[in-house]
C-alpha cells in the first residue's frame, strides 16, 4: 500500500481526485497485490509440472475430451462438492497437462492443490507408513 501511495504522490494525475477516491484506489491495489501473492504462493506449493490452463487446451486433437465437460471444470464447482477427477489414458495424450490445467483452475478460484504422479505418491505413502509419518502425510494431502 505504501508503494501505491508513493506512486500517487509522484503522479500529478491523482491530485485532482478526492481523498476518498485515492484511498479507495489504494485499498483496491492492496487487495489485488495480496491476492496475487496468495496465488503465487499456492502455485509454488502445488509444484505443478506444466504451466497449463484449461483455456489453452487443444480440443482439435482427437483425445476423447468433451469441450463442454472440461470447460465446466473451470468453475471449480467439483472441488466445492468434494468430488475427485481421475485422468486416465494412453501414454502421450496429455494427462499430466490436463491435470495441471485442472489444478491451476482450482488455484485461481482460491483452492490449494498438490501435484503428484501416482507412482511417486504411492511410494511416498509406503515410505511414510514405514517410518511413522503416514498420518502426517495424509493430513498434508487432505489439506490440498
Amino acid at each position: 500500500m505504501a508503494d501505491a501511495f508513493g506512486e500517487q504522490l509522484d503522479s500529478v494525475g491523482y491530485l485532482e481526485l478526492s481523498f476518498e477516491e485515492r484511498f479507495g484506489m489504494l485499498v483496491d491495489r492492496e487487495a489485488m497485490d495480496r491476492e496475487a501473492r496468495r496465488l503465487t504462493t499456492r502455485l509454488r506449493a502445488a509444484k505443478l509440472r506444466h504451466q497449463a490452463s484449461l483455456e489453452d487446451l487443444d480440443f482439435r486433437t482427437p483425445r476423447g475430451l468433451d469441450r463442454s465437460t472440461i470447460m465446466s471444470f473451470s468453475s471449480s464447482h467439483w472441488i466445492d462438492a468434494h468430488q475427485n477427477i481421475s485422468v486416465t489414458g494412453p501414454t502421450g495424450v496429455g494427462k499430466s497437462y490436463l491435470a495441471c490445467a485442472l489444478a491451476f483452475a482450482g488455484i485461481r478460484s482460491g483452492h490449494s492443490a498438490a501435484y503428484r504422479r501416482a507412482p511417486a505418491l504411492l511410494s511416498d505413502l509406503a515410505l511414510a507408513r514405514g517410518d511413522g509419518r503416514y498420518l502426517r502425510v495424509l493430513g498434508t494431502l487432505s489439506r490440498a
Side-chain angles (χ1 to χ4, degrees):
M1 194 176 259
D3 292 337
F5 182 65
E7 289 175 15
Q8 283 188 4
L9 290 177
D10 293 339
S11 176
V12 293
Y14 291 105
L15 295 177
E16 56 196 37
L17 298 175
S18 70
F19 172 78
E20 290 82 12
E21 291 172 326
R22 289 178 64 180
F23 186 71
M25 293 174 79
L26 288 174
V27 171
D28 288 344
R29 169 89 178 267
E30 179 66 17
M32 288 188 310
D33 287 347
R34 286 182 183 204
E35 182 56 35
R37 283 193 303 271
R38 279 193 290 271
L39 178 66
T40 302
T41 302
R42 287 191 303 260
L43 282 171
R44 190 177 314 117
K47 298 178 183 172
L48 298 179
R49 185 180 209 183
H50 304 284
Q51 293 288 331
S53 68
L54 293 175
E55 294 81 15
D56 294 338
L57 287 175
D58 180 17
F59 291 100
R60 293 173 290 171
T61 306
R63 291 181 283 198
L65 296 176
D66 180 34
R67 182 183 199 89
S68 63
T69 302
I70 297 298
M71 295 315 283
S72 72
F73 293 140
S74 66
S75 68
S76 301
H77 68 278
W78 58 279
I79 299 172
D80 297 329
H82 302 285
Q83 296 175 332
N84 300 309
I85 297 175
S86 294
V87 182
T88 61
T91 303
V93 296
K95 297 180 299 291
S96 295
Y97 190 87
L98 179 59
C100 289
L102 290 168
F104 185 69
I107 290 170
R108 275 193 310 205
S109 65
H111 300 284
S112 61
Y115 177 83
R116 298 300 307 262
R117 294 187 64 228
L121 175 64
L122 296 175
S123 174
D124 287 349
L125 288 174
L127 184 64
R129 184 179 288 257
D131 64 11
R133 297 179 299 117
Y134 187 70
L135 292 177
R136 191 171 8 166
V137 170
L138 284 181
T140 301
L141 289 172
S142 70
R143 284 190 295 275

